[in-house]
Amino acid sequence: MAETLQSLRGMVDLLPEQIALWQHLEAVAREQFRRAGVREIRTPLLEATELFARGIGEATDVVGKEMYSFLDRGERACTLRPEGTASVVRAVIQHSLLGQGPQRLWYGGPMFRYERPQKGRQRQFHQIGLELLGIGEARADVEAIAIAWDLLEALGLDELTLELNTLGTGEDRARYRAELVRWLEAHLEELDPDSRNRVHTNPLRVLDSKDAGTQALLAGAPQLGDALSGESHERFSRVRQGLEALEIPFRINPCLVRGLDYYSHTAFEITSTHLGAQATVCGGGRYDGLVEQLGGPATPAVGWALGLERLVLLLAQRQTIPANSPPPDLYVVNRGEAAEAWALALTRNWRLAGLAVELDLSGAAFGKQFKRADRSGAPWAAVIGDSEAAEGVVVLKDLRGEAGEDRRLKPEAVAEVLAGRPQL
Ligand code: ATP
Ligand code: MG
């Protein structure tokens, strides 16, 4: 026998029994975006590597060590998208969408990062994300957060924490960075190795270190909040007030950072205590510098991305998991040469009429087919043997035993009986 093949490490199959949950999640998200006046955009999975190098930054883990990059047959440097924002911004610039006014966009789909797979962390995973482009007001930050919060609530997830911080402006951060680097240099020996490497490449990310020793040490570090201008403080208080007015609870986390220059002001994460080490379900913030950095007109923007695998883990822990894919309306039991040919044609017509119909293709004995009909969950079976085919009728059988006797019907009448309308 040939050797069996496995999916690549960190690449996960979603099997039919899991799909109901995913479709539910996608349907809820779609509906929330519709209500919020957010339109969908779909961009290619494959982009020029340079887009992410410029759009996410060489100093990040994502670009530095997690990307799936290769040369295509035309020697172009390509990368499977590790996130959605850079692609959306590229598309918005390429098609001059900002000329039509602010853009309220969402995207969804697979992302690729070469990471160590573990619970809630895969190499191919799925995100849904929102980008509000062209609106600089603090109100837009509040609205973006509210859309994420309401989406999670609509899914029945309530034990979540919104963590909030502000990164101020580029100038605020430049001032702070210099101060932080001086402090980190003085404590170099006490930092974990990862953080030590970041002191000069991406010092703000040190604040985000997962190392407990480094975290304890940082309690004594200078605070970004103290380096903010009056105006940045003012803006942050508008965001906080906006969230309070909407009764969205939050916790200020001064260590929440995004280590890139085009990020500014609001940064946030939504976390859960039920996810173990991979606690962040949603991450986002304001990125006023990115559109310009990718060659577009200076444009304020705010957005977020939600990790669907982590959402699914949370939903699977709850009782409110949606039922599996709905059963068919009708199961077609058929046997005999003429019956089988006719059943195929009838099935197609019933489907054209809007019914969900499962056709038994086994050719097995009627008894076996009836067992399968029961297992399918269908409320009705249409039974067709050669004598029915010759007569041009089907036997409609109520599998839940509610409507009494079997009935011999013209196939045209089946849809009406199933719809509960009186039979002609
Ligand atoms: P983490 O710190 O968990 O690596 P991140 O900061 O790299 O997260 P973002 O780039 O902000 O994550 O992506 C947004 C969301 O996408 C995350 O909060 C998470 O829910 C999800 N996510 C990110 N990477 C993965 C992955 N490898 N597998 C599954 N979900 C992921
Ligand atoms: Mg990551």
Side-chain angles (χ1 to χ4, degrees):
M1 243 198 330
E3 200 186 324
T4 58
L5 294 172
Q6 303 278 310
S7 63
L8 291 169
R9 185 165 145 79
M11 307 277 174
V12 176
D13 297 311
L14 293 175
L15 301 177
E17 69 234 36
Q18 299 164 283
I19 290 297
L21 188 53
W22 282 80
Q23 288 184 344
H24 168 68
L25 215 156
E26 288 156 9
V28 171
R30 211 172 280 281
E31 172 60 12
Q32 295 295 312
F33 287 129
R34 185 190 70 78
R35 292 184 193 181
V38 180
R39 297 189 302 162
E40 185 180 359
I41 183 167
R42 298 189 190 187
T43 62
L45 301 194
L46 201 58
E47 296 271 5
T49 300
E50 192 196 347
L51 173 64
F52 304 114
R54 257 161 73 187
I56 307 177
E58 308 269 8
T60 59
D61 283 353
V62 171
V63 175
K65 41 187 187 193
E66 295 174 1
M67 292 208 301
Y68 278 90
S69 297
F70 59 93
L71 291 179
D72 74 4
R73 289 170 194 277
E75 306 273 301
R76 293 173 205 89
C78 302
T79 294
L80 282 169
R81 66 180 186 190
E83 56 103 59
T85 304
S87 306
V88 170
V89 170
R90 179 205 44 73
V92 161
I93 297 169
Q94 183 173 336
H95 304 285
S96 309
L97 298 186
L98 288 162
Q100 304 164 16
Q103 295 293 307
R104 304 164 62 84
L105 302 171
W106 73 273
Y107 62 83
M111 306 293 162
F112 303 85
R113 296 184 192 177
Y114 196 83
E115 301 196 68
R116 192 169 68 77
Q118 47 200 299
K119 192 173 164 218
R121 193 175 293 286
Q122 298 173 183
R123 291 185 174 174
Q124 176 174 333
F125 62 101
H126 298 81
Q127 287 184 338
I128 279 182
L130 168 79
E131 316 291 354
L132 301 179
L133 296 127
I135 319 159
E137 285 179 54
R139 277 196 305 164
D141 308 26
V142 177
E143 191 196 5
I145 292 172
I147 293 172
W149 193 256
D150 292 344
L151 167 54
L152 292 164
E153 286 218 321
L155 288 166
L157 299 173
D158 39 20
E159 291 161 41
L160 297 169
T161 306
L162 168 61
E163 300 191 25
L164 191 67
N165 193 22
T166 182
L167 307 175
T169 60
E171 280 163 39
D172 295 338
R173 279 199 310 287
R175 244 191 334 267
Y176 173 65
R177 188 179 295 116
E179 212 182 315
L180 179 67
V181 169
R182 268 198 303 281
W183 188 89
L184 291 172
E185 280 171 340
H187 295 81
L188 217 49
E189 301 302 307
E190 297 151 78
L191 294 173
D192 64 278
D194 254 0
S195 296
R196 213 173 298 150
N197 288 334
R198 286 185 170 138
V199 169
H200 295 108
T201 54
N202 202 346
L204 263 67
R205 274 310 280 258
V206 176
L207 300 179
D208 197 25
S209 166
K210 307 229 153 77
D211 182 87
T214 300
Q215 272 309 328
L217 179 72
L218 287 169
Q223 297 269 313
L224 175 55
D226 299 331
L228 296 184
S229 68
E231 219 172 296
S232 295
H233 270 299
E234 184 29 55
R235 191 181 189 288
F236 191 41
S237 77
R238 282 202 299 279
V239 172
R240 292 195 317 260
Q241 281 161 17
L243 290 169
E244 279 158 10
L246 298 184
E247 296 180 19
I248 296 176
F250 58 87
R251 191 173 76 81
I252 303 290
N253 176 359
C255 290
L256 202 163
V257 289
R258 316 232 126 197
L260 301 173
D261 284 344
Y262 56 77
Y263 280 110
S264 48
H265 301 297
T266 309
F268 72 94
E269 281 186 0
I270 300 176
T271 59
S272 165
T273 51
H274 301 293
L275 283 173
Q278 272 63 247
T280 307
V281 179
C282 178
R286 183 156 279 284
Y287 53 94
D288 287 348
L290 180 59
V291 181
E292 203 172 11
Q293 180 145 332
L294 291 177
T299 307
V302 59
W304 49 254
L306 258 164
L308 296 194
E309 276 74 11
R310 294 183 197 178
L311 265 190
V312 165
L313 284 173
L314 288 175
L315 287 172
Q317 292 169 7
R318 310 191 62 101
Q319 265 85 59
T320 52
I321 307 172
N324 239 322
S325 312
D329 301 314
L330 181 67
Y331 192 95
V332 181
V333 171
N334 59 123
R335 185 168 157 88
E337 202 176 318
E340 285 167 10
W342 196 42
L344 188 58
L346 286 183
T347 296
R348 183 160 178 244
N349 283 340
W350 283 323
R351 288 176 182 160
L352 286 170
L355 296 176
V357 188
E358 191 167 330
L359 174 64
D360 195 307
L361 290 174
S362 67
F366 279 112
K368 277 200 172 156
Q369 293 196 39
F370 277 121
K371 281 213 185 85
R372 262 197 290 269
D374 276 330
R375 242 181 292 137
S376 78
W380 299 92
V383 187
I384 307 169
D386 281 341
S387 65
E388 282 77 23
E391 241 181 276
V393 295
V394 306
V395 175
L396 189 66
K397 202 175 172 52
D398 180 358
L399 294 174
R400 298 196 181 142
E402 288 158 1
E405 302 272 287
D406 296 351
R407 282 177 272 187
R408 294 177 82 79
L409 297 173
K410 289 276 174 212
E412 305 80 65
V414 166
E416 301 201 355
V417 176
L418 265 57
R421 282 193 296 268
Q423 168 195 352
L424 296 173

